[in-house]
């Protein structure tokens, strides 16, 4: 088959958008952090996710995807670590006692710690998702390589990073606008429990799903 580079780029653009937008662990952790801690930590979570994607893009561009095929235990290890992390995030949302989203009067040091923690949540959640690992390997072996010029491959990587950042930042901005927060504040406990339950369910599914 002889796909033109334009066809390939369109395919990559479309496949990426679908993968980014379809709800999964990253989406759940964005919900958890934006609703719990507000806009700043929500955006820090989105940035963490995007940095996780930078890592996926980097090892894929370096041609290290074959490691996962060669050492199957690598993917298994990522899967169990990711599952445990999601269950932990979910349980902490289920058991959370925090008040008022965004905690406007939080001391500066607390606020910085919140941002760092939120960034780490997004980063780890993304990096430990075996489906994202497989997404990159499949995309770069089936659609991008081997004839695609390196500059185009780097451009595709940058596009995938930006697509994650833009989508998840957009979700955070929507969730933390005043109207949405008013609704959320009336249902705070239920929503936090619901999101926590989803995270635990995603973790358990990841652990038992082959
Ligand atoms: N290309 C990917 N698989 N990206 C990460 C997954 C994004 C997915 N929509 C989620 O919310 O978890």
């Amino acid at each position: 088959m002889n796909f033109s580079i334009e066809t390939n780029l369109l395919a990559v653009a479309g496949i990426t958008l679908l993968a980014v937008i379809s709800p999964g662990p990253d989406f759940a952790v964005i919900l958890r952090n934006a609703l719990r801690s507000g806009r700043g930590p929500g955006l820090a979570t989105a940035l963490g996710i995007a940095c996780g994607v930078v890592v996926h893009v980097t090892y894929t561009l370096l041609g290290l995807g074959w490691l996962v095929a060669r050492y199957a235990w690598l993917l298994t290890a990522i899967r169990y670590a990711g599952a445990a992390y999601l269950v932990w995030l979910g349980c902490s949302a289920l058991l959370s006692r925090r008040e008022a989203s965004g905690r406007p009067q939080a001391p500066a040091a607390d606020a910085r710690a919140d941002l760092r923690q939120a960034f780490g949540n997004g980063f780890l959640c993304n990096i430990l998702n075996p489906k994202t690992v497989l997404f990159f390997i499949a995309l770069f072996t089936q659609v991008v390589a081997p004839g695609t010029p390196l500059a185009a491959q780097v451009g595709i990587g940058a596009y995938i990073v930006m697509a994650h950042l833009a989508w998840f930042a957009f979700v955070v901005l929507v969730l933390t606008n005043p109207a949405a927060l008013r609704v959320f504040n009336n249902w705070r406990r239920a929503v936090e429990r619901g999101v926590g339950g989803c995270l635990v369910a995603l973790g358990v599914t990841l652990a038992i799903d082959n």
Side-chain angles (χ1 to χ4, degrees):
M1 268 184 289
N2 188 15
F3 290 124
S4 69
I5 188 156
E6 290 80 7
T7 321
N8 273 0
L9 290 181
L10 272 182
V12 172
I15 294 168
T16 301
L17 283 187
L18 284 180
V20 173
I21 288 174
S22 61
D26 290 350
F27 190 79
V29 83
I30 282 280
L31 276 181
R32 170 190 185 270
N33 287 1
L35 293 177
R36 226 180 145 186
S37 314
R39 185 164 279 185
L43 292 175
T45 311
L47 191 63
I49 292 172
C51 287
V53 177
V54 170
V55 174
H56 291 297
V57 169
T58 306
Y59 68 72
T60 317
L61 287 181
L62 291 175
L64 297 177
W66 61 270
L67 280 172
V68 169
R70 176 86 175 70
Y71 302 104
W73 60 266
L74 256 180
L75 201 61
T76 309
I78 293 174
R79 188 152 67 90
Y80 286 122
Y85 191 59
L86 289 176
V87 170
W88 181 80
L89 283 176
C91 289
S92 67
L94 286 172
L95 304 173
S96 141
R97 297 231 170 89
R98 282 171 65 154
E99 287 309 316
S101 163
R103 297 182 309 159
Q105 305 94 331
D110 269 15
R112 264 199 306 279
D114 269 1
L115 291 180
R116 262 199 305 276
Q117 194 177 50
F119 176 90
N121 291 155
F123 182 75
L124 284 178
C125 178
N126 183 273
I127 207 88
L128 294 176
N129 186 348
K131 294 197 173 123
T132 307
V133 177
L134 292 175
F135 167 84
F136 277 93
I137 293 172
L139 192 74
F140 275 77
T141 49
Q142 317 260 330
V143 196
V144 182
T148 319
L150 184 64
Q153 294 198 29
V154 173
I156 289 168
Y159 162 76
I160 300 177
V161 173
M162 290 316 294
H164 281 81
L165 187 60
W167 167 247
F168 288 116
F170 170 74
V171 172
V172 170
L173 294 181
V174 170
L175 286 174
T176 55
N177 83 63
L181 283 181
R182 264 197 302 280
V183 175
F184 168 65
N185 276 329
N186 293 331
W187 299 89
R188 171 171 295 275
R189 296 305 294 163
V191 176
E192 283 203 11
R193 297 235 157 90
V195 172
C198 284
L199 279 160
V200 172
L202 281 166
V204 171
T205 316
L206 191 59
I208 58 180
D209 189 23
N210 262 314

